[in-house]
Amino acid sequence: MTSTGTQTAPHVPVLVDAVIAALAIEPGDTCVDGTFGAGGYTRAMLAAGAGRVIGFDRDPDAIEQGRSLVPDAVDSGKLTLVEERFSQMDRLLADRGLGSVDAIALDIGVSSMQLDRAERGFSFQADGPLDMRMSRSGMTAAEFLNEGDEAEIARVLRDYGEEPRARAIARAIIAARPLERTAELAAIVRRAAGFRPGQKSDPATRTFQAIRIHLNAELDELEQGLAAAERSLRPGGRLAVVTFHSLEDRIVKRFFRERSGGTPAGSRHRPQLADPKRPSFERVAKPVAPTERELAANPRARSAKLRSAVRTAAPAWKGRVQ
Ligand SMILES: C[S@@+](CC[C@H](N)C(=O)[O-])C[C@H]1O[C@@H](n2cnc3c(N)ncnc32)[C@H](O)[C@@H]1O
């Protein structure tokens, strides 16, 4: 990955072969790429024989660039790019006359394009404004850090960064306000967490992840996206989801376990349902991690995990993952 100003290294798609295998695309299939990014999965779907791909991304830059990344498919009408959140996919597909699709992929998180562009404010490797908004709308990281109270900032760092020194870092942020730049924030976090150069894990990574997840409501989006995918797949349709850390993976794991009937029915806290729901997913595959070879070529894939399953004919469940 580069980290110089606005230079962008191409995004190397993570676990793409495993995703395509899990999607089991048949010639002519209609597929959804819920996280278009740099179009790596979309290109692989088209190469595997997809007849049509609908690519969603909430980032206007990804959609804008996408047209030039896969021009032939856009021109021929095989690829439709939609600047929207994947949690809205069922409604947006229906608007386009696509009641149910054959395969859906979600590749959760940020793209190299977002990380490498200093002006997007996702990275502390290159100094940039504290922004971190995927859709370029809503509250910026600077607004959150300069206006939020200490308890709220500490909660975000703890819940979404699993940061053990959340309170001390939040206190240091408040004392240093106003904050404007990513390098400034990284320096404050390292000082507050007692980081020494050469130490294995940099606390700034956890803080940046936490703020990004919070501002973009990423975990909520993931939960809603899984449910939207469940409503959008035809019986026999395949769903493949790649995550990058345990908070995300836990949501996907629970979703597939619950929806495939693997959650124990009823407990003292959750009484048994009078009318148990029929599984909406089956053939839940074992999680797939990158091979040594993929990791050597793409260190960013380090903590990636793929989970996949096949949609049954049962109605989509209502409500969130338990
Ligand atoms: C890891 S990248 C995807 C890379 C892509 N698979 C490729 O091979 O180029 C994730 C992308 O998903 C987008 N994204 C994240 N959350 C989203 C959401 N809720 N709805 C739509 N797009 C989202 C981000 O803007 C980013 O471009």
Side-chain angles (χ1 to χ4, degrees), residues 9-213:
H11 180 95
V12 183
V14 173
L15 283 167
V16 63
D17 294 341
V19 166
I20 293 300
L23 293 179
I25 295 170
E26 300 280 344
D29 271 0
T30 297
C31 302
V32 168
D33 181 352
T35 48
F36 178 79
Y41 284 13
T42 287
R43 270 194 297 271
M45 286 169 171
L46 291 165
R52 182 152 185 214
V53 177
I54 320 298
F56 293 96
D57 205 297
R58 73 201 300 196
D59 186 337
D61 291 5
I63 296 298
E64 181 58 39
Q65 272 206 14
R67 295 184 218 286
S68 54
L69 287 171
V70 206
D72 294 352
V74 174
D75 293 345
S76 67
K78 274 187 147 188
L79 171 61
T80 308
L81 289 170
V82 185
E83 186 193 320
E84 255 294 356
R85 289 171 296 148
F86 54 62
S87 58
Q88 309 301 307
M89 72 169 81
D90 49 335
R91 181 175 58 78
L92 297 161
L93 289 169
D95 287 350
R96 288 163 177 78
L98 297 164
S100 63
V101 300
D102 301 297
I104 299 176
L106 297 176
D107 182 15
I108 303 304
V110 273
S111 68
S112 301
M113 290 190 312
Q114 290 165 330
L115 280 173
D116 292 346
R117 288 199 179 146
E119 73 273 17
R120 300 298 305 268
F122 284 103
S123 168
F124 53 89
Q125 309 291 355
D127 186 33
L130 280 166
D131 190 317
M132 302 195 203
R133 297 166 305 165
M134 287 180 176
S135 63
R136 289 188 176 272
S137 63
M139 184 187 270
T140 65
E143 284 164 351
F144 170 63
L145 295 170
N146 291 326
E147 290 161 27
D149 65 33
E150 188 182 311
E152 166 72 348
I153 295 171
R155 183 193 65 78
V156 166
L157 302 188
R158 202 174 33 245
D159 288 359
Y160 303 140
E162 299 177 289
E163 173 53 65
R165 313 234 25 215
R167 202 76 204 200
I169 295 172
R171 208 173 305 129
I173 288 171
I174 304 279
R177 294 202 300 209
L179 294 178
E180 297 301 335
R181 312 286 298 176
T182 58
E184 220 181 333
L185 174 62
I188 290 162
V189 171
R190 287 172 181 150
R191 215 173 308 127
F195 175 69
R196 273 175 217 84
Q199 222 166 285
K200 211 168 135 216
S201 75
D202 186 338
T205 308
R206 296 194 289 275
T207 287
F208 273 67
Q209 171 190 299
I211 298 171
R212 197 201 83 207
I213 290 178

Side-chain angles (χ1 to χ4, degrees), residues 243-299:
T243 60
F244 285 86
H245 55 77
S246 56
L247 294 170
E248 295 164 345
D249 181 55
R250 200 176 308 152
I251 291 173
V252 182
K253 182 174 157 184
R254 284 188 183 159
F255 175 82
F256 279 141
R257 190 170 59 200
E258 181 189 81
R259 289 338 205 223
S260 62
T263 305
S267 69
R268 197 158 57 85
H269 304 291
R270 275 192 338 124
Q272 175 130 29
L273 297 169
D275 175 21
K277 293 173 184 161
R278 283 162 52 215
S280 56
F281 281 94
E282 62 184 0
R283 286 183 271 158
V284 179
K286 285 209 170 68
V288 178
T291 58
E292 291 296 324
R293 202 161 154 208
E294 175 164 10
L295 285 179
N298 187 13

